[in-house]
Amino acid sequence: MALINGLSIYLSNRQGGLSAEQILVNAFKARVEADGGSVENTACLTNDVEYLTTNPEPAAFTGLLDTYSGAAAAYSLRLLSSTYSGNAIKVRRASDNVEQDIGFVDNELDTSSLETFCSGTDGFVTTWYDQSGSNNATQTTAANQPKIVSSGTTITENSKPTIQWVDTSDILTAVASTSISNDLTAIAVNASNVQSSQFANGPILQYNVDSSNHISIGYRYGGYFTRLTKAGSTLTLNGYDFSSTSLNLVFDYVDYTNASNEIYVDNVSGSDANAGRSNFDSTSRIDIGNRTLGSLSPQTAISEMIIYESDQSTNRTGIQSNINDFYSIY
Amino acid sequence: MYYTSQNREELVAYNEAVNSGEGYNGTTTQWAEIIEHPNGADYAILKHPKYDAELTIEETLGEDWFPQNDI
């Protein structure tokens, strides 16, 4: 198709008086005959060329994971990879507890199918599919499932679908590595719910390796925090001090070896040390929107969570631009 | 809204009653988890909007229900 488009432009600059389609037909016919073949039906060929020139292939989709590969887990309500052919989420509707997979249309969540399925009732996420592999984040307990549809309408932030952690017990869980020798980069798109209660602070992501090694990134009343437990010793790393209920883009690179981090919120570097609260157990797991033991969700809305078990700080600007271009955060 | 009890089995029974009534299938397997108070004597479960029980009801659970240990 690219060849035809290019040829069309080239020929249209050379052969005035003929339509682009006719120039292409003539060129194609000449090429076939030069190769020893023949074109039996020129009208048919003209129709084909007309169809191809009036229905060009859309530009190839390039997702964030195509450009920045190697994620350990990637959850989003938009398509992140041109090679991912699965669904975005599995949803349980409150009216009868039937569950259904919801995929993508034009690389975004198929909200039409979602709202048709929920048909005026609430919809809860039972599974957030991993677009980088098969490490899906799930919740089997109904009361702990975050919400995506409210009374038949998709919940949104910045006009894009989002998942709302409504109750303090809401949590989605996947599997983490059982060892950590590398760094961790976590990128989250979330809107925090500023509250004055004890639940105003809690993790948006906990990465638990074992009983002595954890990374917790979360929201507290007054900003974001990062906590690292390495070989049993817990350190409070750089956070970002502010209060906002708007949609945020959080980029947090944790240097596990040197027990340090770089955190950016909406492309601004944070350097304070919010204590935050977290709690772990010995299970290797990724917890989204809550601590491992539950009951401490910051009741945030999360639209995207991408985790690399590597240093992605050199890709930070590009990753942030990719996300911000879609979500219009800052 | 939460139901609380010092008899864990009462809350397990409530959960099972909701599970039976709702007929969860697929990924979802149960209504809610039993929350244990750090004192080891009290338990709670989130109330389902459609199911009532003759148990003590609380608007919310206080901070004393949730462990604060930060490692």
Side-chain angles (χ1 to χ4, degrees), chain A residues 182-194:
Chain A
N182 296 318
D183 304 323
L184 186 102
T185 303
I187 304 113
V189 175
N190 70 290
S192 296
N193 181 8
V194 177

PDB file of all heavy atoms in Angstrom, chain A residues 182-194:
ATOM      1  N   ASN A 182      17.276  -6.499  40.508  1.00  0.00           N
ATOM      2  CA  ASN A 182      17.242  -5.355  39.610  1.00  0.00           C
ATOM      3  C   ASN A 182      16.503  -4.187  40.256  1.00  0.00           C
ATOM      4  O   ASN A 182      15.922  -4.322  41.325  1.00  0.00           O
ATOM      5  CB  ASN A 182      16.527  -5.714  38.310  1.00  0.00           C
ATOM      6  CG  ASN A 182      17.273  -6.770  37.549  1.00  0.00           C
ATOM      7  OD1 ASN A 182      18.485  -6.738  37.454  1.00  0.00           O
ATOM      8  ND2 ASN A 182      16.524  -7.733  37.026  1.00  0.00           N
ATOM      9  N   ASP A 183      16.493  -3.084  39.580  1.00  0.00           N
ATOM     10  CA  ASP A 183      15.741  -1.917  40.029  1.00  0.00           C
ATOM     11  C   ASP A 183      14.285  -2.072  39.612  1.00  0.00           C
ATOM     12  O   ASP A 183      13.918  -3.009  38.907  1.00  0.00           O
ATOM     13  CB  ASP A 183      16.343  -0.662  39.412  1.00  0.00           C
ATOM     14  CG  ASP A 183      17.822  -0.537  39.742  1.00  0.00           C
ATOM     15  OD1 ASP A 183      18.191  -0.897  40.877  1.00  0.00           O
ATOM     16  OD2 ASP A 183      18.585  -0.116  38.869  1.00  0.00           O
ATOM     17  N   LEU A 184      13.487  -1.139  40.041  1.00  0.00           N
ATOM     18  CA  LEU A 184      12.067  -1.162  39.696  1.00  0.00           C
ATOM     19  C   LEU A 184      11.638   0.215  39.219  1.00  0.00           C
ATOM     20  O   LEU A 184      11.967   1.214  39.849  1.00  0.00           O
ATOM     21  CB  LEU A 184      11.224  -1.562  40.909  1.00  0.00           C
ATOM     22  CG  LEU A 184       9.745  -1.741  40.578  1.00  0.00           C
ATOM     23  CD1 LEU A 184       9.403  -3.220  40.453  1.00  0.00           C
ATOM     24  CD2 LEU A 184       8.854  -1.112  41.625  1.00  0.00           C
ATOM     25  N   THR A 185      10.935   0.239  38.101  1.00  0.00           N
ATOM     26  CA  THR A 185      10.330   1.473  37.627  1.00  0.00           C
ATOM     27  C   THR A 185       8.829   1.257  37.552  1.00  0.00           C
ATOM     28  O   THR A 185       8.375   0.298  36.918  1.00  0.00           O
ATOM     29  CB  THR A 185      10.863   1.875  36.240  1.00  0.00           C
ATOM     30  OG1 THR A 185      12.286   1.994  36.289  1.00  0.00           O
ATOM     31  CG2 THR A 185      10.252   3.199  35.799  1.00  0.00           C
ATOM     32  N   ALA A 186       8.095   2.112  38.225  1.00  0.00           N
ATOM     33  CA  ALA A 186       6.634   2.019  38.193  1.00  0.00           C
ATOM     34  C   ALA A 186       6.066   3.311  37.625  1.00  0.00           C
ATOM     35  O   ALA A 186       6.491   4.402  38.016  1.00  0.00           O
ATOM     36  CB  ALA A 186       6.082   1.776  39.591  1.00  0.00           C
ATOM     37  N   ILE A 187       5.140   3.164  36.693  1.00  0.00           N
ATOM     38  CA  ILE A 187       4.496   4.330  36.097  1.00  0.00           C
ATOM     39  C   ILE A 187       2.987   4.176  36.302  1.00  0.00           C
ATOM     40  O   ILE A 187       2.407   3.157  35.909  1.00  0.00           O
ATOM     41  CB  ILE A 187       4.809   4.447  34.595  1.00  0.00           C
ATOM     42  CG1 ILE A 187       6.332   4.478  34.382  1.00  0.00           C
ATOM     43  CG2 ILE A 187       4.156   5.682  33.998  1.00  0.00           C
ATOM     44  CD1 ILE A 187       6.891   3.289  33.680  1.00  0.00           C
ATOM     45  N   ALA A 188       2.382   5.175  36.922  1.00  0.00           N
ATOM     46  CA  ALA A 188       0.949   5.087  37.205  1.00  0.00           C
ATOM     47  C   ALA A 188       0.228   6.332  36.722  1.00  0.00           C
ATOM     48  O   ALA A 188       0.745   7.443  36.824  1.00  0.00           O
ATOM     49  CB  ALA A 188       0.714   4.914  38.706  1.00  0.00           C
ATOM     50  N   VAL A 189      -0.959   6.112  36.194  1.00  0.00           N
ATOM     51  CA  VAL A 189      -1.869   7.215  35.887  1.00  0.00           C
ATOM     52  C   VAL A 189      -3.027   7.085  36.856  1.00  0.00           C
ATOM     53  O   VAL A 189      -3.802   6.124  36.785  1.00  0.00           O
ATOM     54  CB  VAL A 189      -2.372   7.147  34.436  1.00  0.00           C
ATOM     55  CG1 VAL A 189      -3.403   8.240  34.180  1.00  0.00           C
ATOM     56  CG2 VAL A 189      -1.216   7.257  33.461  1.00  0.00           C
ATOM     57  N   ASN A 190      -3.106   8.009  37.792  1.00  0.00           N
ATOM     58  CA  ASN A 190      -4.152   7.878  38.804  1.00  0.00           C
ATOM     59  C   ASN A 190      -4.616   9.240  39.311  1.00  0.00           C
ATOM     60  O   ASN A 190      -3.878  10.218  39.266  1.00  0.00           O
ATOM     61  CB  ASN A 190      -3.686   7.020  39.982  1.00  0.00           C
ATOM     62  CG  ASN A 190      -2.635   7.722  40.804  1.00  0.00           C
ATOM     63  OD1 ASN A 190      -1.513   7.900  40.348  1.00  0.00           O
ATOM     64  ND2 ASN A 190      -3.003   8.129  42.009  1.00  0.00           N
ATOM     65  N   ALA A 191      -5.846   9.254  39.761  1.00  0.00           N
ATOM     66  CA  ALA A 191      -6.415  10.469  40.358  1.00  0.00           C
ATOM     67  C   ALA A 191      -6.640  10.178  41.827  1.00  0.00           C
ATOM     68  O   ALA A 191      -7.407   9.296  42.177  1.00  0.00           O
ATOM     69  CB  ALA A 191      -7.734  10.829  39.683  1.00  0.00           C
ATOM     70  N   SER A 192      -5.973  10.900  42.671  1.00  0.00           N
ATOM     71  CA  SER A 192      -6.048  10.608  44.092  1.00  0.00           C
ATOM     72  C   SER A 192      -7.241  11.285  44.735  1.00  0.00           C
ATOM     73  O   SER A 192      -7.669  12.348  44.332  1.00  0.00           O
ATOM     74  CB  SER A 192      -4.764  11.055  44.779  1.00  0.00           C
ATOM     75  OG  SER A 192      -3.693  10.306  44.278  1.00  0.00           O
ATOM     76  N   ASN A 193      -7.730  10.641  45.754  1.00  0.00           N
ATOM     77  CA  ASN A 193      -8.896  11.110  46.472  1.00  0.00           C
ATOM     78  C   ASN A 193      -8.440  11.681  47.803  1.00  0.00           C
ATOM     79  O   ASN A 193      -8.158  10.951  48.735  1.00  0.00           O
ATOM     80  CB  ASN A 193      -9.867   9.941  46.672  1.00  0.00           C
ATOM     81  CG  ASN A 193     -11.119  10.373  47.391  1.00  0.00           C
ATOM     82  OD1 ASN A 193     -11.345  11.547  47.612  1.00  0.00           O
ATOM     83  ND2 ASN A 193     -11.928   9.406  47.767  1.00  0.00           N
ATOM     84  N   VAL A 194      -8.327  12.994  47.861  1.00  0.00           N
ATOM     85  CA  VAL A 194      -7.832  13.617  49.083  1.00  0.00           C
ATOM     86  C   VAL A 194      -8.904  13.513  50.170  1.00  0.00           C
ATOM     87  O   VAL A 194     -10.019  13.979  50.006  1.00  0.00           O
ATOM     88  CB  VAL A 194      -7.471  15.084  48.839  1.00  0.00           C
ATOM     89  CG1 VAL A 194      -7.032  15.742  50.134  1.00  0.00           C
ATOM     90  CG2 VAL A 194      -6.364  15.173  47.809  1.00  0.00           C
TER      91      VAL A 194
END
